[in-house]
Amino acid sequence: MALELGNEQERPQPLRVRTYGDPVLRRKAPPVDEITQAVRDLAARMIVTMYENEIRGVGLAAPQVGVSLRLITLATHDPDEPIPPNASPGERMLSPRMPIALINPEIVKASSAMEEAVEGCLSIPEVQGGVCRPASVVVKALTLGGQTIQAECGGLLGRCLQHEIDHLDGILFVDRWREVDSMAHGTQLRAIEKKAIRSASGGRRS
Ligand code: ZN
C-alpha cells in the first residue's frame, strides 16, 4: 500500500502510544495554526504508528502519541479494495486517499439517527465495548496540503471520525459506552491506568 510519508528521507519512526490514565489523553487539544514540516512529519509518524501497532489501528489522534494538537490520521479503508456502492460521500472522497491526515477536523452536523457498534482504542488495549453514536456526520477539515474538505461521512469512517475528534476534546470511548461494558471492564481499565501512571512517573513499562 502506498504511504504518503512527507519529505523525510528516512523512514518515519513509530511513536509510543499513550494509554488510559496518561493526562495528555484528557486535555482539550489546541488547533494547528500552520501546516509546517513538523506537522507533516508528525502525521507521517502517526500513520506508521497506526500500521505498526500490534493491533492495526484504523484511526489515531495526536494526543494518543503525546502531542496535544488537533491532528488525526485515518485508515478505515484499504485503497486497493473497491469502495462499496452504498458508501457515503465522505467515504467516496477520502477512502481512495487513505491513509490520510486531517487537520482541525470538526463535526458540522450530526444525523439524528443513531447507531451502536463495538469500538476499541489503541490507548485502551484489549478493551472493547458498544458505543452509540450518530450514524453519519458532516465533517469539515483541512488536508496536509491545505485543502478544505467538507463531506457527509457514514459507515466506519463516520464512526472513526467521531471517535478521533472526541480524542481531541479529551473524551474517550469508555466515557460513552453502555453501563454493562463499564461494569464488565472496570478492573481492566484500572489496571491500564495504574500502568500509565507508573510509566509517566518514570517507572518502566512491562
Ligand atoms: Zn481511540
Side-chain angles (χ1 to χ4, degrees):
M1 191 181 304
L3 294 181
E4 269 191 19
L5 295 176
N7 297 328
E8 278 185 316
Q9 293 300 311
E10 307 264 310
R11 200 173 165 281
Q13 293 301 300
L15 295 152
R16 178 168 74 86
V17 175
R18 305 303 179 94
T19 48
Y20 186 78
D22 191 312
V24 72
L25 294 174
R26 290 306 192 179
R27 238 169 263 157
K28 189 175 164 71
V32 173
D33 15 81
E34 199 190 338
I35 307 166
T36 58
Q37 188 56 42
V39 170
R40 283 190 285 269
D41 290 346
L42 172 62
R45 295 187 71 180
M46 283 171 60
I47 286 169
V48 171
T49 307
M50 203 165 52
Y51 278 98
E52 293 199 350
N53 198 72
E54 217 168 295
I55 306 157
R56 187 181 160 310
V58 292
L60 192 67
Q64 290 182 274
V65 293
V67 181
S68 196
L69 264 187
R70 301 189 87 78
L71 167 66
I72 64 171
T73 54
L74 301 163
T76 52
H77 179 84
D78 178 346
D80 293 336
E81 297 291 323
I83 295 167
N86 61 345
S88 60
E91 288 169 287
R92 248 183 263 283
M93 179 204 279
L94 297 177
S95 294
R97 298 162 74 168
M98 287 189 182
I100 191 171
L102 294 178
I103 293 162
N104 302 336
E106 53 179 303
I107 294 168
V108 177
K109 209 171 130 190
S111 69
S112 53
M114 304 290 280
E115 216 169 62
E116 190 182 296
V118 173
E119 292 188 19
C121 180
L122 295 184
S123 294
I124 313 176
E126 290 166 37
V127 174
Q128 289 192 322
V131 182
C132 199
R133 297 189 187 269
S136 83
V137 284
V138 176
V139 169
K140 186 180 170 187
L142 272 178
T143 64
L144 273 188
Q147 179 199 4
T148 301
I149 54 139
Q150 181 168 324
E152 186 248 311
C153 305
L156 179 60
L157 174 62
R159 175 164 294 269
C160 188
L161 277 163
Q162 294 178 70
H163 177 118
E164 303 312 332
I165 293 171
D166 266 355
H167 271 300
L168 306 181
D169 293 322
I171 300 165
L172 302 170
F173 84 94
V174 294
D175 301 335
R176 296 195 186 274
W177 67 8
R178 301 168 304 183
E179 187 68 17
V180 50
D181 287 312
S182 140
M183 280 162 66
H185 295 291
T187 318
Q188 223 173 334
L189 277 182
R190 277 190 294 278
I192 300 169
E193 191 173 18
K194 255 194 189 157
K195 226 172 167 182
I197 292 165
R198 258 206 313 269
S199 146
S201 63
R204 201 169 258 194
R205 298 177 84 217
S206 55

